[in-house]
Amino acid sequence: MSRILFIDNGIEFDSKTLREKPYGGAEVAFVSLVENLAKEGLDITVYNNCVNQGKINDVNWRKLNDDINSEKFDTLVVNRGDKYLNFRKECKKRIFWIHN
């Protein structure tokens, strides 16, 4: 199974909070993408400034901290900011997603 790690160093959101209050299109697009990739059988982990940690709608949500350094993944998707573009240089696939 392919493991994809998403990193977003933006505002506080996750799959649960997105359904509790209004968010912008960038957050809606992000959650929609990760949840649909998980439905396709991919192992998805998100590190961001989330309120709720754990598995939500088949996506692993984690608070952005030093734990990220021990993650194992095949593909890295950096969302919005470029701070993590050089994270783990041995990464085989790296995607920078700017959509806002």
Side-chain angles (χ1 to χ4, degrees):
M1 175 185 304
S2 191
R3 299 189 75 203
I4 304 175
L5 177 66
F6 284 80
I7 303 174
D8 180 295
N9 195 25
I11 67 171
E12 188 176 82
F13 73 96
D14 54 62
S15 287
K16 187 173 180 187
T17 58
L18 190 78
R19 289 162 174 84
E20 295 172 348
K21 66 178 190 174
Y23 277 92
E27 294 76 31
V28 172
F30 184 93
V31 170
S32 180
L33 176 65
V34 297
E35 288 183 354
N36 280 289
L37 288 172
K39 284 180 188 175
E40 292 297 318
L42 298 169
D43 184 358
I44 306 296
T45 299
V46 173
Y47 273 83
N48 74 342
N49 297 311
C50 59
V51 174
N52 302 287
Q53 294 191 76
K55 195 165 226 167
I56 307 168
N57 297 332
D58 295 323
V59 175
N60 299 301
W61 291 88
R62 306 279 181 259
K63 194 80 164 161
L64 189 53
N65 59 34
D66 286 340
D67 291 345
I68 197 170
N69 294 313
S70 63
E71 282 293 330
K72 294 182 182 358
F73 56 92
D74 304 306
T75 301
L76 171 64
V77 180
V78 178
N79 188 45
R80 284 195 249 233
D82 63 354
K83 180 178 179 179
Y84 289 91
L85 272 180
N86 290 320
F87 175 69
R88 304 270 285 274
K89 293 188 183 246
E90 74 279 5
C91 177
K92 293 178 186 175
K93 296 177 186 173
R94 184 180 317 269
I95 299 166
F96 185 31
W97 187 25
I98 297 194
H99 51 93
N100 57 335

